[in-house]
Amino acid sequence: MTDYFYLIPIAIGVGLTALAAFLWSLKAGQYDDLEGAAERILHEETDAPRRN
Amino acid sequence: MGCCGPGAELALLVPGACVPSEEVLLASRIVADGLRQTDLSVPTVHCGACIRTIEKALGELAGVESARVNLSTRRATVRWRCDGAPPPFIETLRQAGFESHLFDVEPDNGHGELSELIRALAVAGFAASNIMLLSVSIWSGADAETRDLFHWLSAIIALPALAYSGRIFFRSAWQALRHRRTNMDVPISIGVLLAFGMSLYDTTQHGSHAYFDASISLLFFLLIGRTLDCMMRERARSAVRGLAQLAARGALVLQDDGTQMYLPVGEITPGMTVMLAAGERVPVDATVSKGASELDVSLVSGESVPVCASVGSAVRAGTLNLTGPLTLIATATASNSFLAEMVRMMEAAEQGRSTYRRVADRAAALYAPVVHLTAFLTFLGWMYVSGDLHNAITIAIAVLIITCPCALGLAVPMVQVVAARRLFANGIMIKDGGALERLAEVDTVVFDKTGTLTLGMPCLVSAESIDSRSLSLAAALASHSRHPYSRALVEAAPDLAHPPLVFDDIAEQPGSGLEARSGATVYRLGRPLWALADPDCASGSASVVLAKDGRQLADFCFEDRLRVDAAVTVARLKENELLVEIVSGDREAPVQFVATALGVPYRAAVMPGEKASYIASLSGAGRKVLMVGDGLNDTPALVAAHVSMAPASAVDVGRNAADLVFLRQSLFAVPLAISVAREARRLIRQNFAFAVAYNLVAVPIAIIGDVTPLVAAMAMSGSSIVVVANALRLKGRQRVAMRAASDEPVSAVAVLEAAK
């Protein structure tokens, strides 16, 4: 029973981290131009997405 | 063009219309102190190399802070600071090989809806997966305290997720109920809330069954459908908004003190003097006070031949000035111009149209009462049999959960999203799913002529019979003009790189033609009456002649060209037992020519209002009309029709009014869209039939009281998967249809040849 006190928070914490990461990347505009991002990996210069 | 690929197939829009730098300034917006942002739509960008070329070319301009291309939306965003005129973005891009035009970023309401849905979907997905993990442990035998603990954890995760992700459904259901209607969201909301409430109560009572997983995964599945549907509409809207704006944003106004100022269209009042250069569009209704020119009125009235304008003639807002500069006196404000009149007619037509109810809502109107009645009867039945209130409620709610229209909620949007994707791949944008449903019902297709059946651009008739030296001479002259006939000549000439003669001095006489000197010889290209010393020598019906010192060298006839596969399109439509008609604002002769070539009935010289009322009379006779048109004069008819389509080259209002917009030149988009819509309708019906069959099996089990949360979860996911898989079948047939379509253009040309 005591294992639950560690395992369940860890499991939910991992899920919440992933959710937070997704929401952050959505807000940061990382999904605005998926096709462009696929092409840009071939460019040499730094090419970070810009917030609007 | 930048390079190969699908982007290059996009219909080129109004070549040669120039953009004054004042207009660029007007369309830009200030993002920070002194920093301005301009959005450009670049329809031909499509690969990594294009991105680099554009970003480099724009980034090197003086004053530009940053330039970034969005490949998905085919748009470039430039940030710049500059006190005077803006840097020449459009010219720079043209030199780099990309056509571009200004893009108006409207305050984004739609985008907010999509990101709200995606966030709701993410939260529901997180909650559903975690609750499902806990539920699996319960189903595999966790009991007593462990089960209670897991139920409580599930409840803690479910409550915020339900509040956050569920509000999309609750809001819409509440809206519907408040207006005493019902939609799909009503049974969904009731089912989800009751399942959650009962599970919470059972958890406090240490019950063995809880439906937290069912209520949250139901939300998750439904949100997938909702989000895809929204993405589809968003994509179509952004593609349509990316097309060139065909109405003037503003004009150069001559002020009392003699200075010129660029004013937005809305600020031009009657009596103002407007300077209009060749290549610009008339901003408001006006009369000509100085100058002479020719006007392209094809988008406004449907007439294919340019109209002469000289001092005193009235010009309509939206027409394109072709050859010479004009000075105009405005006679109306923008809100009283022809365009505004059309918008008013559109609104009138809109009111006359019966409101269409989406298939899903009609299904829900039947479905919800049946489901709720069944649940209620189950409750009464169990009360009567066992007399145990808790047991009766539990079973009644299990009935609600099992019938909750998970499959039904996915059935329609999934099919429509797949259909929209398939149309998108063929260059057809669809504004919403309802349009697809209406398109499937169509039994009559009404075409406009100019710009729809034809390209709206003249082309040279029988170029091969003309002496090639004369033709290249004429083309060399014509390359100095933006008149449609000149463009047609340039296009028809084999090579322009080596003109046979070098002209010393070329001048365009608006309304007459071009005059050039080479030494002592005078060449004239234009109207026979003007170009020839003795007009009686003019041969036949030629509209343009090339003359050397007044003697005719060659004569040219022009004709508006049918779209490549107009004939095949019409034939295909007839094959599908659709009635095809032409209703045009153009004169009798050209309409008759096209109608005979295609073998369809026609009406010529129809006023815009008559077009709309004709469509309305067809609808009144019980016909479901698809209107295909591009001009300003078609827009009331587009709205009046059951469903409407417009080419990408249509006027702005027309594109906004139409339910579908096709981006490629081929008219084959029309039968393709109809056949996709019909197939989508078939699949939607299959999905409905499946949902009914599923309920016929599952509901009795639920009524008997044998449904556990495990059974509910399996039934729900199973039915959703079946429905989604069925929707994807539409995509599976794509390859066959595509191959058939790609064979068509060849035969289309053959049919056209035969028709001539």
Short mmCIF file of all heavy atoms in Angstrom, two decimals, chain B residues 253-261:
data_model
loop_
_atom_site.label_atom_id
_atom_site.label_comp_id
_atom_site.label_asym_id
_atom_site.label_seq_id
_atom_site.Cartn_x
_atom_site.Cartn_y
_atom_site.Cartn_z
N VAL B 253 -5.87 60.81 -53.91
CA VAL B 253 -6.89 61.85 -54.04
C VAL B 253 -6.19 63.20 -54.19
O VAL B 253 -5.25 63.50 -53.46
CB VAL B 253 -7.81 61.85 -52.80
CG1 VAL B 253 -8.74 63.05 -52.83
CG2 VAL B 253 -8.59 60.56 -52.76
N LEU B 254 -6.66 63.98 -55.17
CA LEU B 254 -6.11 65.31 -55.41
C LEU B 254 -6.81 66.27 -54.46
O LEU B 254 -8.03 66.39 -54.48
CB LEU B 254 -6.36 65.72 -56.86
CG LEU B 254 -5.62 66.96 -57.35
CD1 LEU B 254 -4.12 66.67 -57.42
CD2 LEU B 254 -6.14 67.39 -58.70
N GLN B 255 -6.01 66.96 -53.62
CA GLN B 255 -6.65 67.84 -52.65
C GLN B 255 -6.73 69.26 -53.17
O GLN B 255 -6.13 69.60 -54.18
CB GLN B 255 -5.88 67.77 -51.34
CG GLN B 255 -6.08 66.42 -50.70
CD GLN B 255 -5.38 66.31 -49.38
OE1 GLN B 255 -4.19 66.54 -49.31
NE2 GLN B 255 -6.14 65.96 -48.36
N ASP B 256 -7.47 70.10 -52.45
CA ASP B 256 -7.72 71.47 -52.91
C ASP B 256 -6.44 72.25 -53.14
O ASP B 256 -6.34 73.04 -54.05
CB ASP B 256 -8.59 72.21 -51.89
CG ASP B 256 -9.96 71.57 -51.78
OD1 ASP B 256 -10.35 70.91 -52.77
OD2 ASP B 256 -10.62 71.70 -50.74
N ASP B 257 -5.42 72.01 -52.29
CA ASP B 257 -4.18 72.77 -52.44
C ASP B 257 -3.26 72.17 -53.50
O ASP B 257 -2.11 72.56 -53.62
CB ASP B 257 -3.47 72.86 -51.10
CG ASP B 257 -3.19 71.48 -50.51
OD1 ASP B 257 -3.57 70.49 -51.17
OD2 ASP B 257 -2.60 71.39 -49.42
N GLY B 258 -3.76 71.24 -54.26
CA GLY B 258 -2.97 70.70 -55.36
C GLY B 258 -2.10 69.51 -54.99
O GLY B 258 -1.52 68.88 -55.86
N THR B 259 -1.99 69.19 -53.68
CA THR B 259 -1.18 68.04 -53.31
C THR B 259 -2.01 66.76 -53.43
O THR B 259 -3.24 66.81 -53.42
CB THR B 259 -0.69 68.16 -51.85
OG1 THR B 259 -1.84 68.33 -51.03
CG2 THR B 259 0.24 69.33 -51.68
N GLN B 260 -1.31 65.67 -53.56
CA GLN B 260 -2.00 64.39 -53.68
C GLN B 260 -1.84 63.61 -52.40
O GLN B 260 -0.79 63.65 -51.77
CB GLN B 260 -1.41 63.59 -54.84
CG GLN B 260 -1.60 64.30 -56.16
CD GLN B 260 -1.09 63.48 -57.32
OE1 GLN B 260 -0.37 62.51 -57.12
NE2 GLN B 260 -1.47 63.85 -58.51
N MET B 261 -2.88 62.94 -51.99
CA MET B 261 -2.80 62.16 -50.76
C MET B 261 -3.49 60.82 -50.96
O MET B 261 -4.52 60.74 -51.61
CB MET B 261 -3.46 62.90 -49.62
CG MET B 261 -2.92 62.48 -48.28
SD MET B 261 -3.45 63.60 -47.01
CE MET B 261 -4.74 62.66 -46.30
#
